[in-house]
Amino acid sequence: MDDMMFLTFLATLAGAAWRLATPLIFASIGEIFSERAGVLNIGLEGTMLVGAFCGFAAAFATGSIPLGLLAGIAGGMLFGAIFAFFTITIKADQIVVGAALNLLGMGLTAFLFRTYYVSTGKGIEIAQPVQIPFLSDIPFLGEAFFRQNLIVYSTVLVAILASLVLFRTSFGLTLRAVGEHPKAVDVAGRDVASYRYAAVLVGTGLAGLGGAFLTLGHSNQFVEGITSGRGFIALAVVVFARWSPIGAFFVSLLFGLFYALQLMLQAQASIVVPYQVLQALPYIMTIVTLVVVRGKGAAPSKLGQPYEMR
Amino acid sequence: MEQVNQGVRENVYPQAAQAFGRTLRQAVINAATPAAAVLVALACGAALLWLNGFDGSDVVTVMIFGSFQDMRSVGEILLKATPLILIGAGLCVAFRCSIWNIGAEGQLYAGAIAATLVGTNFDGLSVWVHAPLVMLAGALAGAAWAGIAGYLKVRFQASEIVTTIMLNYIALILTSYLVTGPMRDASAAYPQSARLIREAWTPRIVSDMRLHIGIIVAVVLAVALYIFLQRSSRGFSLRVVGLNPYAARYAGMQVARNVMIAMCISGAMAGLAGAFEVAGVTHRLYQNISPGYGFEGIAVALLAGNNPLAAIVSGGLFATLRSGSEVLQITSQVPQVLVLIIQGIVILSVVAFTRLRDIRRIVA
C-alpha cells in the first residue's frame, strides 16, 4: 500500500472510530453521572437496548430522527426510573437489579420487535452526514472529522457539558458528595435519594441516546441484541477514564478504534488472521484495560452502596 | 434453623419430629417469597401478552401446564433443567461469596469445547472411562475459564462483572472460530464439529428418551454444594468473605483463595453443564448450543435465595417455563423471548419482596 492509500485508510479509520465510539461516549458519560452519585448501574446494556428500540420505533412511525432520539432518551429514562426505584427507594442490591434489567431489556425489545416489526422487514432513513463548510475540505482530516452526522458531533458538546455540570456547578458538587459522603449531604439538609434519582435518570437518558444512535445514526434497523455488549464495555470505559467525562470521551474513541479496525481489517482480503480474532478485539481490550488501569482509587467511595438514614 | 441441643433426653423422637416441623415451617416461610415472585412475574407476563393482542391466560395454561403432556415431555423438561440446576447451584456458591460471576454462559461454552475435544478423540476407551472423562474435561475447562476472571480480580482488582461478561463474548467467538475452522466437520453443510465417539456420550436413563444421567449428577452436586456451604469450614469462610471481606481478613481467612474457589466452583458447574449439552444432547459442538442457560442460571440462583438445594426447585421451574414458552410459540406465535422478560421480573420481585420482608423484620 502506498503512502496516499495509507493516509486515506487512516482517515477513514479515524472517522469510523469516532462514529463507533459515539454510543460508548454517551453511555459511559451517563454511567459516570450515576456512579459519581454512588449508583452502579450494570443494567446499562439493557437500557441501551431499550433506547435503540424506542428510537427505532419512533422513527419508524414518524419518519423523524429528532423524535426518534427523544424517544430513545425517554425510553432509557423510563428504564432508569425502574432501576432507581428498586435500588434507591427499595434499596435492593444494585448488581442484582442491573442484571434483571439487562434480561428485561433484552427480552422486551426482542419480544416487541418480533411481534410488530420483524415481518415488515423495513428499515428507516438514518441521520445523514453534515459537511462542515471549509473544514470538510481539508484533505484527510476533513474526511475523518468533519463529515459526520450531527449525533456524532454532539458527543463533543455532551462531554464538555457533562464535565462542566459535574465539576463547575453546585448540583455537580452535591451529586459527587452523594457518592463520596452521603451522610454529609444528608446532614446539610439535602435529600440524598433525589440526587441519586437525578443522577440515574441523567445517566440512563444518555445510555438511551447511545442506544438510539445505533439504530438512527449507524444501522438503519433494529436487531435483537444490537448493542452487543457495548453497555458492559462502557462500564470498563468509566473505570479507565477514572470517572471523568472528558476522559471517557477519549477512552471511548480508543474503543471505537478497536471496533473500526475490526471492521476495516475484515474487509481487507490480504489479512491472514481469522476474522474472529478481530471480532474479539474490543472484548479482549476491555479486559486488558481493566488489568492495566487499576482504577479502584478513583472510584466514588460509596459506589454500589444504598444509603441508609440512621 | 438448626437447633442447639443441650439437655440429654431419653426419648429423642418427639424432639426430632418437632425439629422437623420447625424446619418445614421455615421452609414454607422461605418458599413464600419466591412463590410470590413467580406469581407476580407470570401476572406481568399475562398482562404483557394481553396488551399486545395475545391471549393472556395462555401464560398460566400453556407456560406452566402446556409442557406436561406425557412422560417424554416431562423428560424434555428435566433435560432443560439439568444445565439450569448445575449452573444455578454453582452460582449460588459464587453469589454467597459476593462474587458476581455473570460469565456462566462463557464457562458453559468453554466446557462444551473441552468436552468436544476429549469426546472426539481417544477412540477405543470404554464408556466407563470416556464418558466421565468428558464430564471432567468440561468441568475443568469451565473452572479454568472462570479462574481467569477470578485471578484478574484477585491480582489486579479487575471487576469480575465486566471480565466475566467479556469472557462470555470471547468464548462464543472462540466457539464460532472452532466450528467454522479447525474443528469443523468438513462433510457437513452447517458449521459443526465432528460427532462425539459413542463411548463419550453421556448415558441415557431410558433408552428411548433424550434424558441422560446429567440430571442425577446435577441434583447430587447441588446437594453436595449445599452441604459444602452450610457444613464445611471452607464453606463457612466463603460465606464470611461474602458478608464482609474485611472481617474475614481480620479473622485470618484467605480472601483471595476463597474468591478463587468460589469462582472456580461456579465455573466448573457451568462447564459441566456445557459438557452435558454436547455429550448428552447434541453430540456435536455448534455455535449456539446454549439458548442462554448461563444467564438464566443467574435467575435460578437468585430465585433460590442463593441456596443450592433450592436451586433444584427453581431450576426445574425455569425449565418448565422455558418448555412452556416453546409450546406457546408454536401454538400462539408468542415470541419465545417472553421467557427472558419473566426471568427479569422474577429477579426484580425476589429482591423487592426480600427487602420488604427484611424491613418488616427490622421494624418488628
Side-chain angles (χ1 to χ4, degrees):
Chain A
M1 193 175 342
D2 58 41
D3 286 354
M4 277 304 272
M5 263 180 72
F6 186 63
L7 279 175
T8 317
F9 176 82
L10 279 187
T12 323
L13 188 70
W18 191 9
R19 239 180 344 269
L20 290 159
T22 298
L24 287 178
I25 295 172
F26 288 130
S28 58
I29 290 178
E31 180 70 8
I32 287 171
F33 269 89
S34 169
E35 292 195 12
R36 281 280 185 177
V39 184
L40 177 67
N41 184 358
I42 71 158
L44 219 53
E45 176 84 357
T47 311
M48 287 180 82
L49 272 172
V50 169
F53 178 81
C54 290
F56 171 76
F60 192 90
T62 63
S64 152
I65 290 173
L67 277 180
L69 292 174
L70 281 179
I73 295 172
M77 288 173 87
L78 196 69
F79 226 53
I82 301 175
F83 181 83
F85 175 74
F86 276 92
T87 56
I88 301 167
T89 306
I90 299 189
K91 301 191 176 76
D93 190 289
Q94 295 173 3
I95 293 171
V96 175
V97 175
L101 287 188
N102 284 332
L103 285 172
L104 208 54
M106 180 78 207
L108 268 178
T109 54
F111 179 85
L112 294 173
F113 181 68
R114 285 190 206 173
T115 307
Y116 294 109
Y117 298 97
V118 79
S119 54
T120 68
K122 274 189 293 194
I124 45 172
E125 202 64 34
I126 65 164
Q128 292 305 313
V130 175
Q131 303 201 3
I132 298 197
F134 308 116
L135 290 177
S136 61
D137 298 329
I138 305 173
F140 307 116
L141 282 181
E143 162 74 29
F145 300 119
F146 302 107
R147 291 179 198 179
Q148 305 277 12
N149 64 44
L150 287 175
I151 314 171
V152 177
Y153 292 130
S154 77
T155 55
V156 180
L157 201 69
V158 166
I160 294 171
L161 216 62
S163 195
L164 288 178
V165 169
L166 267 182
F167 298 111
R168 293 280 181 273
T169 65
S170 103
F171 170 78
L173 179 67
T174 316
L175 193 143
R176 284 182 291 133
V178 163
E180 294 291 347
H181 206 316
K183 188 141 215 161
V185 177
D186 198 9
V187 170
R190 306 237 179 126
D191 185 23
V192 171
S194 45
Y195 274 90
R196 288 198 163 168
Y197 259 91
V200 169
L201 289 180
V202 170
T204 49
L206 281 171
L209 179 60
F213 170 79
L214 287 172
T215 44
L216 302 172
H218 184 61
S219 138
N220 67 339
Q221 255 291 2
F222 181 82
V223 180
E224 285 172 32
I226 189 171
T227 46
S228 59
R230 285 181 172 85
F232 298 115
I233 293 178
L235 292 176
V237 169
V238 172
V239 177
F240 196 176
R242 303 201 162 237
W243 291 267
S244 136
I246 303 287
F249 179 85
F250 288 106
V251 175
S252 299
L253 278 184
L254 182 68
F255 276 94
L257 190 68
F258 298 139
Y259 276 108
L261 262 178
Q262 169 212 325
L263 288 179
M264 293 184 64
L265 291 181
Q266 272 185 44
Q268 299 265 330
S270 59
I271 300 290
V272 283
V273 282
Y275 77 90
Q276 286 97 344
V277 174
L278 301 170
Q279 223 180 356
L281 196 63
Y283 307 117
I284 295 172
M285 290 319 293
T286 304
I287 294 180
V288 172
T289 298
L290 283 180
V291 169
V292 173
V293 185
R294 277 173 255 176
K296 263 277 187 286
S301 59
K302 291 290 180 283
L303 186 57
Q305 297 175 14
Y307 177 63
E308 303 271 5
M309 214 164 54
R310 292 211 168 86
Chain B
M1 274 200 287
E2 316 117 53
Q3 181 192 14
V4 182
N5 191 358
Q6 278 160 338
V8 181
R9 296 242 189 105
E10 282 183 36
N11 190 355
V12 292
Y13 294 110
Q15 221 180 356
Q18 246 178 21
F20 178 73
R22 210 171 296 131
T23 314
L24 198 68
R25 202 175 317 133
Q26 193 61 46
V28 170
I29 294 170
N30 286 344
T33 304
V38 171
L39 287 180
V40 168
L42 289 176
C44 291
L48 184 77
L49 286 193
W50 181 72
L51 282 172
N52 289 288
F54 297 103
D55 189 351
S57 61
D58 278 357
V59 165
V60 179
T61 52
V62 184
M63 279 194 81
I64 298 188
F65 302 112
S67 42
F68 289 100
Q69 285 151 357
D70 47 20
M71 275 313 286
R72 185 176 302 278
S73 56
V74 174
E76 288 295 306
I77 294 176
L78 291 175
L79 194 67
K80 291 192 173 69
T82 305
L84 292 177
I85 293 172
L86 284 168
I87 295 171
L91 289 179
C92 287
V93 176
F95 294 170
R96 277 289 184 89
C97 190
S98 282
I99 296 301
W100 297 107
N101 178 4
I102 316 286
E105 186 79 354
Q107 291 141 23
L108 182 153
Y109 274 90
I113 292 170
T116 311
L117 277 174
V118 173
T120 49
N121 291 302
F122 309 110
D123 205 352
L125 291 177
S126 104
V127 64
W128 293 100
V129 180
H130 211 169
L133 208 59
V134 165
M135 298 177 206
L136 188 68
L140 285 178
W145 201 250
I148 299 173
Y151 176 75
L152 295 178
K153 179 178 179 68
V154 169
R155 176 78 179 75
F156 301 104
Q157 289 90 50
S159 157
E160 78 278 15
I161 300 172
V162 177
T163 53
T164 51
I165 288 167
M166 294 304 127
L167 286 166
N168 281 343
Y169 289 104
I170 296 170
L172 275 160
I173 292 169
L174 180 66
T175 308
S176 134
Y177 166 69
L178 289 175
V179 297
T180 53
M183 284 168 76
R184 177 166 189 169
D185 178 2
S187 62
Y190 188 77
Q192 60 183 27
S193 76
R195 189 184 282 259
L196 268 66
I197 297 161
R198 198 161 272 273
E199 281 71 31
W201 293 11
T202 310
R204 291 180 171 180
I205 294 177
V206 190
S207 60
D208 65 341
M209 264 163 59
R210 294 205 298 166
L211 186 64
H212 53 78
I213 59 163
I215 184 69
I216 301 168
V217 176
V219 170
V220 169
L221 284 178
V223 174
L225 286 182
Y226 173 77
I227 295 170
F228 165 76
L229 268 182
Q230 299 301 128
R231 295 277 184 271
S232 74
S233 69
R234 174 63 70 188
F236 175 73
S237 66
L238 281 188
R239 286 185 288 141
V240 174
V241 169
L243 289 172
N244 189 339
Y246 302 104
R249 186 166 291 139
Y250 187 70
M253 293 170 180
Q254 296 152 305
V255 175
R257 174 174 293 183
N258 283 314
V259 167
M260 282 303 283
I261 290 174
M263 201 59 156
C264 289
I265 288 178
S266 55
M269 295 290 278
L272 187 57
F276 280 136
E277 285 311 291
V278 168
V281 185
T282 62
H283 301 139
R284 288 175 190 273
L285 183 63
Y286 295 96
Q287 277 179 33
N288 306 312
I289 48 160
S290 162
Y293 288 138
F295 299 109
E296 198 161 349
I298 299 170
V300 169
L302 292 172
L303 185 64
N306 296 336
N307 173 346
L309 213 51
I312 301 171
V313 181
S314 65
L317 178 76
F318 275 109
T320 308
L321 291 177
R322 184 170 275 282
S323 302
S325 71
E326 281 171 12
V327 178
L328 200 57
Q329 167 137 341
I330 297 163
T331 56
S332 318
Q333 287 79 48
V334 173
Q336 213 209 317
V337 285
L338 179 66
V339 96
L340 289 180
I341 302 173
I342 290 185
Q343 283 167 28
I345 300 174
V346 163
I347 299 177
L348 286 180
S349 317
V350 166
V351 291
F353 289 144
T354 312
R355 275 295 303 174
L356 293 177
R357 203 180 57 184
D358 291 350
I359 291 169
R360 266 231 315 267
R361 202 170 280 165
I362 292 164
V363 172

